[in-house]
């Protein structure tokens, strides 16, 4: 085996062992070294040179980046997820990678990326990524789960979004499902405080889809400190008062527009 390839393979085994021990610091340090070593392989993207060990090098690099994506989920780093996913993506989509043996993690990671875009409310990018997937991929449970979530989210069927955590295709999805649940509740909370002056604790709990009053009270304490709890009611008025509404200087805007029109007329 090529010495450089052997070095990367051995270091990758150390990385996987650290992951198994859940030694995050070692994982991050070893991963950084692996990424540097991978830059020495000309067979990898974007060059895709046809070297004697190209298949082995491409497969190894793909496995490393897949583990990097999963590590970013474990440590809850969405920025690292995005960076690592974009480094991994050519191994799934480029024609030069079609020679590689299938990856058992591909659909799971593609589904995770769709969930990330949904959590970040990047719906246009969500649909762009969806368009790039094959019909086989779209039938995979990992992809279908994300697609069904997006449909429920767009329809405002928030109860289906929250209950979907019970049917995730794999445990790795839990991180993004928890973030999505928070996004959904924040959306409901924003609508509630605009629509109502107050709600009973029971009604607020049902509206925000919590299973107990304690969960509701904890959410208010951590996420909605401007709401008040008095005599069994959740009062939104304080939050409304704090959101100052700035008056639009309509007269000033009209004068400016007329001034611009006069200047344009002179130029013409």
């Amino acid at each position: 085996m090529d010495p450089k390839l052997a070095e990367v393979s051995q270091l990758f085994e150390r990385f996987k062992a650290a992951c198994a021990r859940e030694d995050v610091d070692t994982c991050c340090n070893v991963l950084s070294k692996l990424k540097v070593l991978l830059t020495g392989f000309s067979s990898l993207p974007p060059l895709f040179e046809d070297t004697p060990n190209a298949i082995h090098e491409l497969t190894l690099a793909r496995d490393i980046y897949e583990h990097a994506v999963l590590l970013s989920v474990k440590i809850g780093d969405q920025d690292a997820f995005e960076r690592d996913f974009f480094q991994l993506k050519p191994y799934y989509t480029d024609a030069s990678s079609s020679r590689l043996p299938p990856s058992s993690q591909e659909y799971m990671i593609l589904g995770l990326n769709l969930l990330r875009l949904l959590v970040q409310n990047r719906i246009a990018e969500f649909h762009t990524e969806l368009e790039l997937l094959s019909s086989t991929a779209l039938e995979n449970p990992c992809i279908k789960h994300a697609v069904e979530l997006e449909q429920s989210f767009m329809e405002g069927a928030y109860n289906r979004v929250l209950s979907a955590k019970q049917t995730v295709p794999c445990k790795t999805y839990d991180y993004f499902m928890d973030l999505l649940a928070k996004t959904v509740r924040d959306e409901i909370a924003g609508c509630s405080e605009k629509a109502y002056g107050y709600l009973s604790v029971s009604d607020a709990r049902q509206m925000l889809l919590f299973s107990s009053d304690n969960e509701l009270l904890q959410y208010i304490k951590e996420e909605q400190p401007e709401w008040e709890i008095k005599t069994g009611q959740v009062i939104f008025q304080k939050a409304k008062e704090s959101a100052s509404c700035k008056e639009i200087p309509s007269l000033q805007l009209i004068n400016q527009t007329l001034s611009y029109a006069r200047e344009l007329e002179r130029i013409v």
Side-chain angles (χ1 to χ4, degrees):
M1 182 185 290
D2 177 76
K4 191 185 294 185
L5 186 57
E7 181 184 5
V8 174
S9 298
Q10 289 172 6
L11 198 58
F12 184 39
E13 291 303 318
R14 278 184 54 198
F15 173 78
K16 289 191 287 186
C19 287
R21 298 194 307 271
E22 297 191 351
D23 184 350
V24 173
D25 290 338
T26 300
C27 285
C28 293
N29 289 333
V30 174
L31 181 59
S32 296
K33 294 176 183 176
L34 282 168
K35 288 180 177 179
V36 171
L37 289 172
L38 288 178
T39 61
F41 294 145
S42 59
S43 61
L44 305 186
L47 298 176
F48 283 114
E49 290 186 5
D50 191 12
T51 61
N53 295 313
I55 298 296
H56 195 164
E57 290 168 358
L58 284 164
T59 305
L60 181 59
R62 183 189 65 189
D63 291 348
I64 290 170
Y65 284 122
E66 285 180 338
H67 278 75
V69 167
L70 297 177
L71 176 64
S72 70
V73 174
K74 182 181 283 290
I75 63 178
D77 189 338
Q78 292 186 57
D79 291 335
F81 182 102
E82 185 163 8
R83 289 193 303 271
D84 293 328
F85 178 78
F86 278 119
Q87 288 179 298
L88 171 64
K89 192 175 177 181
Y91 296 88
Y92 294 155
T93 58
D94 196 281
S96 300
S97 300
S98 59
R99 311 175 283 168
L100 302 184
S103 166
S104 60
Q105 313 237 53
E106 179 176 351
Y107 294 140
M108 179 185 69
I109 289 174
L110 290 172
L112 281 171
N113 184 55
L114 291 173
L115 271 186
R116 175 184 66 88
L117 294 173
L118 191 55
V119 165
Q120 296 174 352
N121 205 25
R122 293 159 65 175
I123 304 302
E125 291 174 65
F126 178 97
H127 286 283
T128 299
E129 291 293 325
L130 212 56
E131 290 293 325
L132 297 174
L133 298 179
S134 66
S135 56
T136 303
L138 293 173
E139 291 301 315
N140 186 274
C142 293
I143 307 299
K144 288 178 75 173
H145 184 266
V147 172
E148 289 167 3
L149 268 175
E150 189 268 345
Q151 290 171 347
S152 298
F153 191 74
M154 291 298 102
E155 292 168 7
Y158 295 141
N159 58 329
R160 291 210 308 262
V161 174
L162 296 182
S163 63
K165 186 178 178 180
Q166 311 305 318
T167 58
V168 291
C170 59
K171 192 72 176 171
T172 315
Y173 278 46
D174 283 353
Y175 167 68
F176 285 118
M177 290 302 299
D178 288 340
L179 290 177
L180 190 59
K182 182 182 180 305
T183 300
V184 164
R185 288 195 171 101
D186 288 347
E187 184 76 16
I188 297 171
C191 294
S192 298
E193 66 183 18
K194 288 179 175 63
Y196 304 100
Y198 61 89
L199 285 171
S200 68
V201 169
S202 175
D203 287 342
R205 173 175 58 77
Q206 291 179 28
M207 190 167 290
L208 289 164
L209 307 171
F210 285 112
S211 57
S212 71
D213 290 351
N214 286 336
E215 288 180 354
L216 170 66
L217 297 176
Q218 188 66 24
Y219 171 78
I220 293 172
K221 181 180 177 181
E222 294 176 359
E223 305 295 338
Q224 306 292 344
E226 293 181 332
W227 293 3
E228 291 183 304
I229 308 292
K230 283 185 180 178
T231 61
Q233 293 180 329
V234 180
I235 301 171
F236 305 122
Q237 194 60 39
K238 186 179 175 183
K240 288 183 178 180
E241 290 169 357
S242 65
S244 58
C245 180
K246 293 185 179 179
E247 184 180 350
I248 298 173
S250 54
L251 187 60
Q252 182 183 347
L253 289 173
I254 292 169
N255 286 332
Q256 285 179 352
T257 304
L258 290 173
S259 175
Y260 295 151
R262 284 194 294 270
E263 292 298 324
L264 283 170
E265 189 177 355
R266 286 198 192 101
I267 293 169
V268 173

